[in-house]
Structure formats: structure tokens, C-alpha cells
Amino acid sequence: MKLTYSTENQRNNYHSNSKRAFSGFPLSSTDVKKTFDFAFEMCMGTGHHRAHRTGGQYDRSNGEKFCNTFQGKLAEIVLYNHFKSHGFDIKEPDFGVYGKGLWDDSDLEINGKKINVKSAAFFSNLQLLETRDWNTNGQYIPNLNTGTTSKYDYFVLVRIKPDLKSIFRENNLFNGTIFEKDNIEATVTKQNFSADIAGYITHTDLITVIANRNILPQNSYLNGKVRMDAENYYIQCGDMRVITDLVSELKAMPQPQQAP
């Protein structure tokens, strides 16, 4: 389903009309601490994180890069734990800290199927994919001809509460505060994080979204509030498949043969 479009206040406005309520479950302090250590090293240590989104106009601050990295990795852990709880043999998320031009191959893999994990704040009702990253065949352009994953079988959206960017703004961590590890760690680890798995789409679903041009244009406004930094394909949460269906589908698949 397409977003509702209007030109109120002489702006291009898009509003969600197919929502799925957040239904969070608590996350462990161990997972939060592990994610914090990874995100801090990626953004403030030996790792590298892009200063702007693909097709984006604005450079991201260190605080914003940290929040994005933290949320994304925590989402991977949430989905990993979910699949483990259903008895899947699944490799733990990659906590390797990579330099510029290097990144982990794919988020998760089960029975030979590649799973791309997307994250959003708990109030979000969209999965977003930068249009410049995906071709009409639903392939991830940066990974083409690199020997790494360019086709994902599934895209799963995990939502995280609280929204860490809002916490950072409330504590003035985006505006001139020295980005000291102890200060940031204290702010992050005192939060009571929860998450839900909002839903998923298949590779075929993505191709349909691209063909239908479900696009949020750059500089348009989402729900009258958020100005879009980059152009994105979108899928509304209410239109996504439910995670129980993915678990059932993966369980029904034949197990890949182990090498002798």
C-alpha cells in the first residue's frame, strides 16, 4: 500500500496508513553492553562508519553515527536470539570492527538463506531502503561484483525502544559535548531497552516495491515531521509479513548438507 500524499503547508507530505503497533519485549543488559562496545569502537575507535547515507545530503555527527550503529547491531542480536529460541543452527552476528571500504558480508544466514536485518525506532511504521543502493532486480549495488552478498532472501525489520537519538538530544550529546566513552556508556546502559520484530518481506516483495515505485522522495516530509535526507523505497509495517510465517518457512526447508 502506498503512503497517503498531500501538499499541506506547500510541502510534499507522506503519511503512514498501514501501521502495526509496537509490542516490545525486554532486552538483556549483556546484549546492550556488547552492542555498546561494538558501536563505540566502530565509530570512535579503529572502525569506520559512513558520514552520510547513500544519496544523502547531510553529514552525520559522531553521535548520530553511534546511535545508528548501536541500533542496527542490537537489531541483529534480537533476531539472532529469536531464531536461536526456535532451535535454528545460526551463526552469531558479526562483531568484527572493519575499516573504510570493508564490511560484514551479510547480517544473518539460516539454511543457506541470507537475511538482511533492518532497524528502526519503536514509533516507526516503515522499512526504508535507499533507492541508490538497489537495482531493479532487488540486488544490493555496493556488493555487486565484489564476491559478497548482493541478493538477500529476506528483509526483517526490528524496532527498538527507547529511541537512542532522542535520548542523545535530551542529554545534549549531539551538540558539542565531548564524546567520552564513560559518559556515553552511562547514558546508554541505564536505559531499559525493549524490541519487537515488526515483520519481514521477501526478495520478490522488494522487486515488487521497486517496480511499483513506492518511494519517499528526498526532502519530502514523513508524517508531517521528518524531512527525508535521502530518497528511499518504503514498505509499511502493516503490509509486511509476520515473523511467525518466516520461522515456519525456514523450518520447512531442507537442511544444507554438511561437508564430510
Side-chain angles (χ1 to χ4, degrees), residues 1-4 14 17-18 125-132 134 201 204-218 220 228 230-237 239-240:
M1 182 182 296
K2 290 195 180 273
L3 296 167
T4 301
Y14 293 81
N17 53 40
S18 184
N125 267 288
L126 293 181
Q127 178 170 307
L128 298 174
L129 297 165
E130 288 96 342
T131 57
R132 292 191 185 182
W134 303 91
I201 64 170
T204 301
D205 293 334
L206 174 59
I207 293 175
T208 300
V209 165
I210 293 170
N212 289 343
R213 295 189 61 78
N214 285 14
I215 290 175
L216 261 174
Q218 188 177 55
S220 63
M228 300 305 297
E231 182 180 85
N232 286 267
Y233 295 116
Y234 67 82
I235 307 95
Q236 299 194 69
C237 286
D239 298 329
M240 299 177 77

mmCIF file of all heavy atoms in Angstrom, residues 1-4 14 17-18 125-132 134 201 204-218 220 228 230-237 239-240:
data_model
loop_
_atom_site.group_PDB
_atom_site.id
_atom_site.type_symbol
_atom_site.label_atom_id
_atom_site.label_comp_id
_atom_site.label_asym_id
_atom_site.label_seq_id
_atom_site.Cartn_x
_atom_site.Cartn_y
_atom_site.Cartn_z
ATOM 1 N N MET A 1 0.838 -1.190 0.000
ATOM 2 C CA MET A 1 0.000 0.000 0.000
ATOM 3 C C MET A 1 0.882 1.252 0.000
ATOM 4 O O MET A 1 1.898 1.301 0.713
ATOM 5 C CB MET A 1 -0.906 0.006 1.244
ATOM 6 C CG MET A 1 -1.860 1.196 1.312
ATOM 7 S SD MET A 1 -2.852 1.182 2.832
ATOM 8 C CE MET A 1 -3.808 -0.325 2.587
ATOM 9 N N LYS A 2 0.472 2.252 -0.800
ATOM 10 C CA LYS A 2 1.240 3.479 -0.849
ATOM 11 C C LYS A 2 0.867 4.408 0.305
ATOM 12 O O LYS A 2 -0.268 4.375 0.814
ATOM 13 C CB LYS A 2 1.021 4.194 -2.181
ATOM 14 C CG LYS A 2 1.666 3.465 -3.364
ATOM 15 C CD LYS A 2 1.738 4.366 -4.576
ATOM 16 C CE LYS A 2 2.373 3.630 -5.757
ATOM 17 N NZ LYS A 2 3.823 3.729 -5.751
ATOM 18 N N LEU A 3 1.824 5.230 0.723
ATOM 19 C CA LEU A 3 1.570 6.231 1.738
ATOM 20 C C LEU A 3 0.562 7.255 1.222
ATOM 21 O O LEU A 3 0.424 7.463 0.015
ATOM 22 C CB LEU A 3 2.873 6.942 2.105
ATOM 23 C CG LEU A 3 3.966 6.099 2.755
ATOM 24 C CD1 LEU A 3 5.285 6.849 2.770
ATOM 25 C CD2 LEU A 3 3.566 5.697 4.177
ATOM 26 N N THR A 4 -0.143 7.898 2.133
ATOM 27 C CA THR A 4 -1.067 8.965 1.773
ATOM 28 C C THR A 4 -0.271 10.231 1.476
ATOM 29 O O THR A 4 0.563 10.655 2.279
ATOM 30 C CB THR A 4 -2.063 9.227 2.906
ATOM 31 O OG1 THR A 4 -2.791 8.020 3.170
ATOM 32 C CG2 THR A 4 -3.034 10.334 2.540
ATOM 33 N N TYR A 14 3.975 12.876 3.210
ATOM 34 C CA TYR A 14 3.567 11.475 3.109
ATOM 35 C C TYR A 14 3.220 10.979 4.511
ATOM 36 O O TYR A 14 3.978 11.210 5.463
ATOM 37 C CB TYR A 14 4.687 10.626 2.505
ATOM 38 C CG TYR A 14 4.983 10.955 1.058
ATOM 39 C CD1 TYR A 14 5.782 12.054 0.722
ATOM 40 C CD2 TYR A 14 4.469 10.186 0.022
ATOM 41 C CE1 TYR A 14 6.059 12.370 -0.596
ATOM 42 C CE2 TYR A 14 4.738 10.492 -1.302
ATOM 43 C CZ TYR A 14 5.532 11.580 -1.603
ATOM 44 O OH TYR A 14 5.802 11.891 -2.921
ATOM 45 N N ASN A 17 -0.399 4.868 6.617
ATOM 46 C CA ASN A 17 -1.811 4.476 6.680
ATOM 47 C C ASN A 17 -1.984 2.970 6.864
ATOM 48 O O ASN A 17 -3.092 2.457 6.801
ATOM 49 C CB ASN A 17 -2.559 4.947 5.433
ATOM 50 C CG ASN A 17 -1.878 4.502 4.142
ATOM 51 O OD1 ASN A 17 -1.388 3.374 4.041
ATOM 52 N ND2 ASN A 17 -1.828 5.400 3.162
ATOM 53 N N SER A 18 -0.869 2.267 7.070
ATOM 54 C CA SER A 18 -0.927 0.822 7.300
ATOM 55 C C SER A 18 0.084 0.488 8.397
ATOM 56 O O SER A 18 1.239 0.171 8.126
ATOM 57 C CB SER A 18 -0.611 0.052 6.010
ATOM 58 O OG SER A 18 -0.748 -1.339 6.209
ATOM 59 N N ASN A 125 6.822 3.072 11.426
ATOM 60 C CA ASN A 125 5.965 2.107 10.741
ATOM 61 C C ASN A 125 6.387 1.907 9.298
ATOM 62 O O ASN A 125 5.579 1.536 8.442
ATOM 63 C CB ASN A 125 4.503 2.548 10.819
ATOM 64 C CG ASN A 125 3.786 1.932 12.005
ATOM 65 O OD1 ASN A 125 3.488 0.743 12.026
ATOM 66 N ND2 ASN A 125 3.563 2.737 13.033
ATOM 67 N N LEU A 126 7.678 2.155 9.026
ATOM 68 C CA LEU A 126 8.228 1.965 7.695
ATOM 69 C C LEU A 126 9.552 1.228 7.746
ATOM 70 O O LEU A 126 10.359 1.456 8.647
ATOM 71 C CB LEU A 126 8.482 3.321 7.005
ATOM 72 C CG LEU A 126 7.310 4.210 6.634
ATOM 73 C CD1 LEU A 126 7.828 5.461 5.966
ATOM 74 C CD2 LEU A 126 6.347 3.479 5.722
ATOM 75 N N GLN A 127 9.772 0.359 6.777
ATOM 76 C CA GLN A 127 11.118 -0.131 6.471
ATOM 77 C C GLN A 127 11.601 0.661 5.267
ATOM 78 O O GLN A 127 10.921 0.746 4.247
ATOM 79 C CB GLN A 127 11.105 -1.622 6.140
ATOM 80 C CG GLN A 127 12.484 -2.152 5.773
ATOM 81 C CD GLN A 127 12.512 -3.661 5.676
ATOM 82 O OE1 GLN A 127 12.109 -4.357 6.588
ATOM 83 N NE2 GLN A 127 12.980 -4.163 4.553
ATOM 84 N N LEU A 128 12.775 1.261 5.406
ATOM 85 C CA LEU A 128 13.318 2.132 4.369
ATOM 86 C C LEU A 128 14.583 1.541 3.767
ATOM 87 O O LEU A 128 15.414 0.974 4.479
ATOM 88 C CB LEU A 128 13.632 3.516 4.952
ATOM 89 C CG LEU A 128 12.446 4.302 5.512
ATOM 90 C CD1 LEU A 128 12.931 5.587 6.176
ATOM 91 C CD2 LEU A 128 11.444 4.621 4.408
ATOM 92 N N LEU A 129 14.717 1.690 2.458
ATOM 93 C CA LEU A 129 15.899 1.242 1.729
ATOM 94 C C LEU A 129 16.292 2.340 0.745
ATOM 95 O O LEU A 129 15.477 2.720 -0.110
ATOM 96 C CB LEU A 129 15.610 -0.062 0.969
ATOM 97 C CG LEU A 129 15.250 -1.280 1.811
ATOM 98 C CD1 LEU A 129 14.637 -2.367 0.935
ATOM 99 C CD2 LEU A 129 16.474 -1.828 2.522
ATOM 100 N N GLU A 130 17.519 2.865 0.854
ATOM 101 C CA GLU A 130 17.946 3.942 -0.043
ATOM 102 C C GLU A 130 17.873 3.479 -1.499
ATOM 103 O O GLU A 130 18.412 2.434 -1.847
ATOM 104 C CB GLU A 130 19.374 4.393 0.287
ATOM 105 C CG GLU A 130 19.513 5.191 1.574
ATOM 106 C CD GLU A 130 19.926 4.321 2.743
ATOM 107 O OE1 GLU A 130 19.766 3.079 2.652
ATOM 108 O OE2 GLU A 130 20.412 4.878 3.752
ATOM 109 N N THR A 131 17.212 4.261 -2.327
ATOM 110 C CA THR A 131 16.981 3.840 -3.714
ATOM 111 C C THR A 131 18.284 3.630 -4.477
ATOM 112 O O THR A 131 18.351 2.769 -5.355
ATOM 113 C CB THR A 131 16.113 4.862 -4.467
ATOM 114 O OG1 THR A 131 16.746 6.147 -4.423
ATOM 115 C CG2 THR A 131 14.726 4.956 -3.856
ATOM 116 N N ARG A 132 19.313 4.400 -4.187
ATOM 117 C CA ARG A 132 20.564 4.290 -4.933
ATOM 118 C C ARG A 132 21.343 3.008 -4.601
ATOM 119 O O ARG A 132 22.309 2.673 -5.280
ATOM 120 C CB ARG A 132 21.453 5.500 -4.672
ATOM 121 C CG ARG A 132 20.898 6.798 -5.252
ATOM 122 C CD ARG A 132 21.924 7.904 -5.195
ATOM 123 N NE ARG A 132 21.386 9.179 -5.636
ATOM 124 C CZ ARG A 132 22.100 10.294 -5.723
ATOM 125 N NH1 ARG A 132 23.388 10.290 -5.402
ATOM 126 N NH2 ARG A 132 21.534 11.423 -6.128
ATOM 127 N N TRP A 134 19.882 -0.070 -4.539
ATOM 128 C CA TRP A 134 19.208 -1.265 -5.044
ATOM 129 C C TRP A 134 18.851 -1.107 -6.514
ATOM 130 O O TRP A 134 18.307 -0.079 -6.932
ATOM 131 C CB TRP A 134 17.937 -1.531 -4.232
ATOM 132 C CG TRP A 134 18.243 -1.660 -2.781
ATOM 133 C CD1 TRP A 134 18.257 -0.651 -1.850
ATOM 134 C CD2 TRP A 134 18.651 -2.843 -2.100
ATOM 135 N NE1 TRP A 134 18.642 -1.153 -0.627
ATOM 136 C CE2 TRP A 134 18.896 -2.486 -0.747
ATOM 137 C CE3 TRP A 134 18.827 -4.167 -2.492
ATOM 138 C CZ2 TRP A 134 19.302 -3.404 0.205
ATOM 139 C CZ3 TRP A 134 19.234 -5.088 -1.545
ATOM 140 C CH2 TRP A 134 19.470 -4.703 -0.222
ATOM 141 N N ILE A 201 9.843 -8.906 4.664
ATOM 142 C CA ILE A 201 9.466 -9.054 3.257
ATOM 143 C C ILE A 201 10.447 -10.019 2.605
ATOM 144 O O ILE A 201 11.550 -10.250 3.121
ATOM 145 C CB ILE A 201 9.452 -7.717 2.492
ATOM 146 C CG1 ILE A 201 10.862 -7.098 2.439
ATOM 147 C CG2 ILE A 201 8.439 -6.768 3.099
ATOM 148 C CD1 ILE A 201 10.975 -5.906 1.497
ATOM 149 N N THR A 204 11.321 -11.203 -3.524
ATOM 150 C CA THR A 204 10.288 -10.947 -4.524
ATOM 151 C C THR A 204 9.444 -9.740 -4.142
ATOM 152 O O THR A 204 9.074 -8.916 -4.997
ATOM 153 C CB THR A 204 9.394 -12.180 -4.707
ATOM 154 O OG1 THR A 204 10.194 -13.291 -5.121
ATOM 155 C CG2 THR A 204 8.314 -11.920 -5.758
ATOM 156 N N ASP A 205 9.135 -9.603 -2.851
ATOM 157 C CA ASP A 205 8.390 -8.437 -2.382
ATOM 158 C C ASP A 205 9.163 -7.149 -2.683
ATOM 159 O O ASP A 205 8.575 -6.138 -3.094
ATOM 160 C CB ASP A 205 8.145 -8.516 -0.878
ATOM 161 C CG ASP A 205 7.212 -9.647 -0.478
ATOM 162 O OD1 ASP A 205 6.381 -10.058 -1.310
ATOM 163 O OD2 ASP A 205 7.319 -10.108 0.675
ATOM 164 N N LEU A 206 10.473 -7.180 -2.457
ATOM 165 C CA LEU A 206 11.296 -5.999 -2.721
ATOM 166 C C LEU A 206 11.236 -5.604 -4.195
ATOM 167 O O LEU A 206 11.100 -4.415 -4.526
ATOM 168 C CB LEU A 206 12.739 -6.247 -2.301
ATOM 169 C CG LEU A 206 13.729 -5.126 -2.650
ATOM 170 C CD1 LEU A 206 13.322 -3.807 -1.994
ATOM 171 C CD2 LEU A 206 15.149 -5.514 -2.258
ATOM 172 N N ILE A 207 11.342 -6.591 -5.078
ATOM 173 C CA ILE A 207 11.264 -6.296 -6.514
ATOM 174 C C ILE A 207 9.928 -5.629 -6.852
ATOM 175 O O ILE A 207 9.871 -4.680 -7.647
ATOM 176 C CB ILE A 207 11.465 -7.578 -7.333
ATOM 177 C CG1 ILE A 207 12.905 -8.091 -7.169
ATOM 178 C CG2 ILE A 207 11.156 -7.340 -8.802
ATOM 179 C CD1 ILE A 207 13.169 -9.416 -7.837
ATOM 180 N N THR A 208 8.847 -6.100 -6.219
ATOM 181 C CA THR A 208 7.526 -5.502 -6.442
ATOM 182 C C THR A 208 7.484 -4.064 -5.944
ATOM 183 O O THR A 208 6.945 -3.173 -6.613
ATOM 184 C CB THR A 208 6.441 -6.335 -5.741
ATOM 185 O OG1 THR A 208 6.454 -7.664 -6.264
ATOM 186 C CG2 THR A 208 5.067 -5.716 -5.942
ATOM 187 N N VAL A 209 8.056 -3.831 -4.770
ATOM 188 C CA VAL A 209 8.108 -2.473 -4.209
ATOM 189 C C VAL A 209 8.857 -1.537 -5.152
ATOM 190 O O VAL A 209 8.425 -0.401 -5.407
ATOM 191 C CB VAL A 209 8.788 -2.496 -2.822
ATOM 192 C CG1 VAL A 209 9.196 -1.096 -2.382
ATOM 193 C CG2 VAL A 209 7.861 -3.121 -1.791
ATOM 194 N N ILE A 210 9.973 -2.016 -5.696
ATOM 195 C CA ILE A 210 10.769 -1.207 -6.623
ATOM 196 C C ILE A 210 9.985 -0.939 -7.909
ATOM 197 O O ILE A 210 9.941 0.194 -8.405
ATOM 198 C CB ILE A 210 12.111 -1.898 -6.916
ATOM 199 C CG1 ILE A 210 12.972 -1.928 -5.645
ATOM 200 C CG2 ILE A 210 12.857 -1.197 -8.054
ATOM 201 C CD1 ILE A 210 14.216 -2.791 -5.757
ATOM 202 N N ALA A 211 9.360 -1.983 -8.438
ATOM 203 C CA ALA A 211 8.590 -1.835 -9.683
ATOM 204 C C ALA A 211 7.399 -0.887 -9.504
ATOM 205 O O ALA A 211 7.059 -0.125 -10.411
ATOM 206 C CB ALA A 211 8.108 -3.200 -10.157
ATOM 207 N N ASN A 212 6.784 -0.921 -8.322
ATOM 208 C CA ASN A 212 5.637 -0.061 -8.039
ATOM 209 C C ASN A 212 6.040 1.369 -7.664
ATOM 210 O O ASN A 212 5.182 2.231 -7.468
ATOM 211 C CB ASN A 212 4.788 -0.650 -6.913
ATOM 212 C CG ASN A 212 4.035 -1.890 -7.336
ATOM 213 O OD1 ASN A 212 3.886 -2.160 -8.522
ATOM 214 N ND2 ASN A 212 3.562 -2.650 -6.363
ATOM 215 N N ARG A 213 7.354 1.581 -7.541
ATOM 216 C CA ARG A 213 7.895 2.894 -7.180
ATOM 217 C C ARG A 213 7.292 3.421 -5.882
ATOM 218 O O ARG A 213 6.798 4.553 -5.801
ATOM 219 C CB ARG A 213 7.712 3.897 -8.326
ATOM 220 C CG ARG A 213 8.515 3.516 -9.564
ATOM 221 C CD ARG A 213 8.508 4.620 -10.605
ATOM 222 N NE ARG A 213 9.112 5.863 -10.099
ATOM 223 C CZ ARG A 213 10.415 6.090 -9.978
ATOM 224 N NH1 ARG A 213 11.289 5.124 -10.300
ATOM 225 N NH2 ARG A 213 10.863 7.250 -9.533
ATOM 226 N N ASN A 214 7.347 2.568 -4.874
ATOM 227 C CA ASN A 214 6.990 3.015 -3.524
ATOM 228 C C ASN A 214 8.173 3.807 -2.983
ATOM 229 O O ASN A 214 9.082 3.254 -2.354
ATOM 230 C CB ASN A 214 6.695 1.814 -2.620
ATOM 231 C CG ASN A 214 5.351 1.192 -2.906
ATOM 232 O OD1 ASN A 214 4.740 1.470 -3.931
ATOM 233 N ND2 ASN A 214 4.891 0.345 -2.004
ATOM 234 N N ILE A 215 8.180 5.102 -3.251
ATOM 235 C CA ILE A 215 9.346 5.941 -2.994
ATOM 236 C C ILE A 215 8.972 7.126 -2.119
ATOM 237 O O ILE A 215 7.970 7.809 -2.359
ATOM 238 C CB ILE A 215 9.963 6.444 -4.320
ATOM 239 C CG1 ILE A 215 10.616 5.281 -5.080
ATOM 240 C CG2 ILE A 215 10.983 7.546 -4.068
ATOM 241 C CD1 ILE A 215 11.146 5.669 -6.451
ATOM 242 N N LEU A 216 9.791 7.375 -1.100
ATOM 243 C CA LEU A 216 9.754 8.615 -0.333
ATOM 244 C C LEU A 216 10.836 9.516 -0.909
ATOM 245 O O LEU A 216 12.022 9.236 -0.768
ATOM 246 C CB LEU A 216 10.051 8.339 1.142
ATOM 247 C CG LEU A 216 8.881 8.224 2.098
ATOM 248 C CD1 LEU A 216 9.388 7.811 3.469
ATOM 249 C CD2 LEU A 216 8.122 9.539 2.200
ATOM 250 N N PRO A 217 10.462 10.612 -1.578
ATOM 251 C CA PRO A 217 11.476 11.451 -2.220
ATOM 252 C C PRO A 217 12.364 12.181 -1.215
ATOM 253 O O PRO A 217 11.959 12.436 -0.071
ATOM 254 C CB PRO A 217 10.628 12.458 -3.024
ATOM 255 C CG PRO A 217 9.276 11.849 -3.123
ATOM 256 C CD PRO A 217 9.095 11.042 -1.879
ATOM 257 N N GLN A 218 13.552 12.505 -1.663
ATOM 258 C CA GLN A 218 14.445 13.339 -0.866
ATOM 259 C C GLN A 218 13.757 14.689 -0.608
ATOM 260 O O GLN A 218 13.097 15.244 -1.485
ATOM 261 C CB GLN A 218 15.754 13.551 -1.618
ATOM 262 C CG GLN A 218 16.837 14.240 -0.831
ATOM 263 C CD GLN A 218 18.129 14.332 -1.630
ATOM 264 O OE1 GLN A 218 18.146 14.855 -2.741
ATOM 265 N NE2 GLN A 218 19.214 13.801 -1.085
ATOM 266 N N SER A 220 11.176 15.316 1.070
ATOM 267 C CA SER A 220 9.760 15.216 1.426
ATOM 268 C C SER A 220 9.645 15.046 2.941
ATOM 269 O O SER A 220 10.642 14.838 3.644
ATOM 270 C CB SER A 220 9.106 14.038 0.708
ATOM 271 O OG SER A 220 9.685 12.805 1.121
ATOM 272 N N MET A 228 13.100 13.953 4.803
ATOM 273 C CA MET A 228 13.888 12.840 4.291
ATOM 274 C C MET A 228 15.220 13.337 3.729
ATOM 275 O O MET A 228 15.258 14.140 2.800
ATOM 276 C CB MET A 228 13.113 12.082 3.216
ATOM 277 C CG MET A 228 11.792 11.498 3.686
ATOM 278 S SD MET A 228 11.970 10.414 5.129
ATOM 279 C CE MET A 228 13.001 9.120 4.440
ATOM 280 N N ALA A 230 17.533 11.407 2.274
ATOM 281 C CA ALA A 230 17.805 10.709 1.013
ATOM 282 C C ALA A 230 16.511 10.107 0.479
ATOM 283 O O ALA A 230 15.529 9.945 1.210
ATOM 284 C CB ALA A 230 18.854 9.608 1.222
ATOM 285 N N GLU A 231 16.511 9.764 -0.792
ATOM 286 C CA GLU A 231 15.364 9.093 -1.403
ATOM 287 C C GLU A 231 15.374 7.622 -1.009
ATOM 288 O O GLU A 231 16.418 6.963 -1.060
ATOM 289 C CB GLU A 231 15.442 9.224 -2.922
ATOM 290 C CG GLU A 231 14.259 8.597 -3.642
ATOM 291 C CD GLU A 231 14.379 8.737 -5.139
ATOM 292 O OE1 GLU A 231 15.060 7.868 -5.752
ATOM 293 O OE2 GLU A 231 13.821 9.689 -5.707
ATOM 294 N N ASN A 232 14.202 7.109 -0.600
ATOM 295 C CA ASN A 232 14.099 5.740 -0.115
ATOM 296 C C ASN A 232 12.912 5.003 -0.709
ATOM 297 O O ASN A 232 11.839 5.596 -0.920
ATOM 298 C CB ASN A 232 13.914 5.726 1.411
ATOM 299 C CG ASN A 232 15.158 6.053 2.171
ATOM 300 O OD1 ASN A 232 15.907 5.159 2.565
ATOM 301 N ND2 ASN A 232 15.402 7.341 2.395
ATOM 302 N N TYR A 233 13.100 3.703 -0.966
ATOM 303 C CA TYR A 233 11.958 2.809 -1.127
ATOM 304 C C TYR A 233 11.386 2.560 0.261
ATOM 305 O O TYR A 233 12.115 2.593 1.265
ATOM 306 C CB TYR A 233 12.383 1.480 -1.744
ATOM 307 C CG TYR A 233 12.897 1.584 -3.152
ATOM 308 C CD1 TYR A 233 14.213 1.262 -3.468
ATOM 309 C CD2 TYR A 233 12.068 2.010 -4.185
ATOM 310 C CE1 TYR A 233 14.691 1.343 -4.761
ATOM 311 C CE2 TYR A 233 12.536 2.100 -5.489
ATOM 312 C CZ TYR A 233 13.847 1.778 -5.767
ATOM 313 O OH TYR A 233 14.312 1.874 -7.045
ATOM 314 N N TYR A 234 10.080 2.291 0.336
ATOM 315 C CA TYR A 234 9.470 2.048 1.639
ATOM 316 C C TYR A 234 8.495 0.885 1.576
ATOM 317 O O TYR A 234 7.912 0.578 0.540
ATOM 318 C CB TYR A 234 8.750 3.290 2.157
ATOM 319 C CG TYR A 234 7.522 3.684 1.361
ATOM 320 C CD1 TYR A 234 6.283 3.073 1.573
ATOM 321 C CD2 TYR A 234 7.593 4.680 0.386
ATOM 322 C CE1 TYR A 234 5.166 3.428 0.838
ATOM 323 C CE2 TYR A 234 6.473 5.041 -0.360
ATOM 324 C CZ TYR A 234 5.267 4.411 -0.133
ATOM 325 O OH TYR A 234 4.159 4.751 -0.870
ATOM 326 N N ILE A 235 8.356 0.236 2.730
ATOM 327 C CA ILE A 235 7.335 -0.781 2.950
ATOM 328 C C ILE A 235 6.704 -0.476 4.301
ATOM 329 O O ILE A 235 7.427 -0.330 5.308
ATOM 330 C CB ILE A 235 7.911 -2.215 2.974
ATOM 331 C CG1 ILE A 235 8.746 -2.496 1.737
ATOM 332 C CG2 ILE A 235 6.788 -3.240 3.111
ATOM 333 C CD1 ILE A 235 10.237 -2.248 1.933
ATOM 334 N N GLN A 236 5.398 -0.355 4.359
ATOM 335 C CA GLN A 236 4.728 -0.059 5.619
ATOM 336 C C GLN A 236 4.627 -1.329 6.479
ATOM 337 O O GLN A 236 4.410 -2.433 5.959
ATOM 338 C CB GLN A 236 3.342 0.517 5.366
ATOM 339 C CG GLN A 236 3.356 1.833 4.592
ATOM 340 C CD GLN A 236 2.030 2.543 4.662
ATOM 341 O OE1 GLN A 236 1.631 3.043 5.717
ATOM 342 N NE2 GLN A 236 1.335 2.604 3.536
ATOM 343 N N CYS A 237 4.751 -1.138 7.783
ATOM 344 C CA CYS A 237 4.750 -2.293 8.686
ATOM 345 C C CYS A 237 3.473 -3.116 8.567
ATOM 346 O O CYS A 237 3.509 -4.350 8.638
ATOM 347 C CB CYS A 237 4.940 -1.830 10.128
ATOM 348 S SG CYS A 237 6.630 -1.299 10.492
ATOM 349 N N ASP A 239 1.860 -3.799 6.065
ATOM 350 C CA ASP A 239 1.858 -4.584 4.831
ATOM 351 C C ASP A 239 2.913 -5.688 4.839
ATOM 352 O O ASP A 239 3.010 -6.453 3.869
ATOM 353 C CB ASP A 239 2.113 -3.663 3.627
ATOM 354 C CG ASP A 239 1.034 -2.606 3.472
ATOM 355 O OD1 ASP A 239 -0.125 -2.896 3.834
ATOM 356 O OD2 ASP A 239 1.357 -1.496 3.003
ATOM 357 N N MET A 240 3.696 -5.769 5.900
ATOM 358 C CA MET A 240 4.763 -6.770 5.962
ATOM 359 C C MET A 240 4.224 -8.110 6.450
ATOM 360 O O MET A 240 3.176 -8.194 7.102
ATOM 361 C CB MET A 240 5.883 -6.278 6.890
ATOM 362 C CG MET A 240 6.532 -4.982 6.435
ATOM 363 S SD MET A 240 7.787 -4.367 7.581
ATOM 364 C CE MET A 240 9.135 -5.477 7.181
#
